[in-house]
Amino acid sequence: MKPNNPFLISGYYSPEFFCDREQETRTILDALHNGRNLTLVAPRRMGKTGLIRHAFYCLKEQQPDIVTFYFDIYSTQSLGDFVRLFASTVLGQLDSAPQKALSRISQFVRSCRPVFTFDELTGVPKVTIDLASVEEENTLKEIFDYLGSSEKRCYVAIDEFQQIAEYQEKGVEALLRSYIQFLPNVNFIFAGSKQHLMQEMFTSSKRPFYQSTQLLTIDPIQQDEYANFAIRHFAVHNVNLPQGVFNSIYEKYTGHTWYVQCILNRLYGYDRDVDMELVVYATEQILSEYNYTYADLLKAYTSGQVRLLKAIAKEGCVKEVLAGDFISTYRLRAASSVSAALKKLLENELIYQTSDGYMIYDRFMGEWLRQQQF
């Protein structure tokens, strides 16, 4: 069903509702078509998932017989979690006939008990597995063997791939690499939002995935391309979005895709010509909806950490958090305390470091913090 609002803030529909990224899409298609695995790195909410799904859509258009898989491992905490998610994503999807799918799964997956349900519309089996911890590695191998046995070309995207470095089990990277390198019919996209971790995993000679993929980093969508996309969709809706108003939104969020989309989505829904007053109204509506969430989140942090968070929000971007001027301006504690608070906020991804300095990760939270009393 076609979306009512062209400014999607989750999921993917079709190229009609996907803005630009033409060069990045070509890079992905070229890498996968020529048998190269790819590492895709960008801050969260910059549009990695949409780009992957767009690339998969384009691949399907070119080669209808291929099979694509996408799964996000951000919430996984262990190898067992990974294997369960991998199994539910992949098993049963390589054959259109349910009986053939069941037969192939039974042939390859012997270390655990697959539980089958069926999609009411398509009849395709949905599989979950009853997994004992001692069988995790065996089951993982069986899933890879199942993939490798297919006569179809398969493309697998694993999002937030850096999460495997957090697992309690040792050697997960080496284990995955040992299976992945021997699958001639399968190529992978490893996507991640923690740039330093992803770079380390794929460019350090000490790590199993060293030089095993083509690297691609994505930046914000070009401003002019994004403006043309937005103004065109508003015009189809008989609504005027002035270029100057769009530019102010884009520049406020430095082109960070999800936040721009979120504002445009609200403006489109108001069904009237857009001006800056309406942009302010849309922004206030969003911040009021997040008010309780943000206030509750801050309860988990010390007063020193919250004070540093507010100070960074007030500045927008801070090159040197430990600089004396910054510390004294915002009456922060000693440099050692600020350093410890910074480390905690970075670890929990409330702030992140760019080439320009430290910023609040959630742009709406940054705006909300700027409105709070210091």
Side-chain angles (χ1 to χ4, degrees):
M1 185 180 294
K2 195 171 182 178
N4 293 325
N5 191 313
F7 301 101
L8 307 180
I9 51 177
S10 64
Y12 175 84
Y13 186 77
S14 73
E16 181 185 352
F17 304 104
F18 185 79
C19 179
D20 193 34
R21 299 280 189 217
E22 292 180 8
Q23 181 57 54
E24 295 95 330
T25 302
R26 281 195 296 271
T27 299
I28 294 173
L29 297 187
D30 181 67
L32 296 180
H33 180 74
N34 290 287
R36 300 190 297 272
N37 293 334
L38 189 115
T39 299
L40 176 62
V41 183
R44 198 166 304 129
R45 293 180 164 180
M46 190 59 82
K48 292 190 310 300
T49 304
L51 176 58
I52 291 167
R53 293 197 180 280
H54 180 64
F56 281 175
Y57 183 99
C58 295
L59 280 168
K60 280 274 197 184
E61 290 282 294
Q62 296 172 6
Q63 309 168 60
D65 289 340
I66 66 165
V67 185
T68 61
F69 303 100
Y70 168 89
F71 62 112
D72 184 337
I73 64 169
Y74 184 68
S75 63
T76 63
Q77 302 294 318
S78 65
L79 178 61
D81 291 345
F82 179 95
V83 174
R84 289 182 188 90
L85 185 55
F86 192 22
S88 65
T89 302
V90 169
L91 296 181
Q93 306 302 310
L94 292 177
D95 301 285
S96 53
Q99 292 309 315
K100 188 176 180 183
L102 294 179
S103 172
R104 277 172 40 75
I105 293 169
S106 301
Q107 178 184 346
F108 285 96
V109 181
R110 300 175 181 277
S111 62
C112 62
R113 191 175 67 214
V115 179
F116 300 96
T117 56
F118 293 89
D119 187 291
E120 292 180 1
L121 295 176
T122 64
V124 173
K126 293 182 178 179
V127 183
T128 54
I129 55 174
D130 185 7
L131 182 64
S133 58
V134 293
E135 294 290 353
E136 289 168 354
E137 291 189 21
N138 288 335
T139 305
L140 182 64
K141 182 180 186 304
E142 290 167 352
I143 298 169
F144 278 115
D145 288 343
Y146 168 81
L147 273 174
S149 72
S150 176
E151 295 177 358
K152 295 181 178 179
R153 168 66 54 185
C154 301
Y155 299 108
V156 180
I158 308 176
D159 208 350
E160 300 300 344
F161 187 70
Q162 75 277 337
Q163 186 65 23
I164 67 169
E166 306 290 328
Y167 294 170
Q168 60 211 12
E169 299 91 352
K170 303 297 181 186
V172 174
E173 284 178 58
L175 186 66
L176 289 174
R177 176 82 173 101
S178 69
Y179 297 141
I180 285 169
Q181 65 185 333
F182 296 117
L183 292 173
N185 65 316
V186 187
N187 283 106
F188 290 81
I189 297 174
F190 305 102
S193 59
K194 291 188 177 179
Q195 187 162 348
H196 65 287
L197 267 179
M198 292 293 288
Q199 295 277 9
E200 171 75 14
M201 290 172 79
F202 291 93
T203 62
S204 169
S205 59
K206 298 175 182 177
R207 305 290 281 264
F209 279 96
Y210 173 60
Q211 289 189 342
S212 64
T213 67
Q214 179 177 338
L215 294 173
L216 174 63
T217 301
I218 63 171
D219 297 314
I221 297 167
Q222 289 294 315
Q223 187 166 344
D224 288 346
E225 293 287 348
Y226 209 159
N228 291 338
F229 173 83
I231 291 167
R232 184 176 72 251
H233 277 293
F234 273 90
V236 169
H237 196 47
N238 295 317
V239 171
N240 180 45
L241 170 64
Q243 174 126 14
V245 174
F246 172 84
N247 289 345
S248 71
I249 297 168
Y250 181 97
E251 289 158 12
K252 182 176 187 178
Y253 299 104
T254 56
H256 205 127
T257 311
W258 187 83
Y259 300 98
V260 177
Q261 285 285 106
C262 207
I263 296 292
L264 293 174
N265 179 282
R266 295 295 176 114
L267 295 173
Y268 188 90
Y270 295 143
D271 210 14
R272 50 163 279 199
D273 287 349
V274 180
D275 54 23
M276 286 307 301
E277 186 179 336
L278 195 62
V279 174
V280 170
Y281 176 77
T283 306
E284 290 302 321
Q285 287 291 109
I286 292 168
L287 296 187
S288 69
E289 291 161 16
Y290 279 117
N291 184 62
Y292 176 79
T293 302
Y294 292 148
D296 198 50
L297 178 66
L298 294 189
K299 291 176 183 175
Y301 294 87
T302 66
S303 59
Q305 290 162 352
V306 172
R307 195 168 185 83
L308 175 59
L309 200 60
K310 288 181 177 178
I312 293 172
K314 295 282 185 187
E315 289 289 313
C317 184
V318 182
K319 189 73 175 176
E320 297 289 344
V321 169
L322 300 181
D325 286 351
F326 176 71
I327 289 175
S328 60
T329 297
Y330 292 99
R331 300 192 300 280
L332 303 176
R333 295 176 180 172
S336 59
S337 297
V338 173
S339 179
L342 179 67
K343 184 171 183 286
K344 179 72 171 178
L345 296 173
L346 280 168
E347 284 175 357
N348 290 5
E349 295 188 312
L350 267 70
I351 61 175
Y352 73 111
Q353 188 175 12
T354 70
S355 55
D356 296 322
Y358 295 94
M359 302 176 69
I360 305 297
Y361 210 126
D362 181 338
R363 300 302 183 88
F364 289 148
M365 185 180 190
E367 287 200 64
W368 180 83
L369 285 165
R370 284 190 284 278
Q371 295 178 1
Q372 306 307 302
Q373 292 220 327
F374 205 86

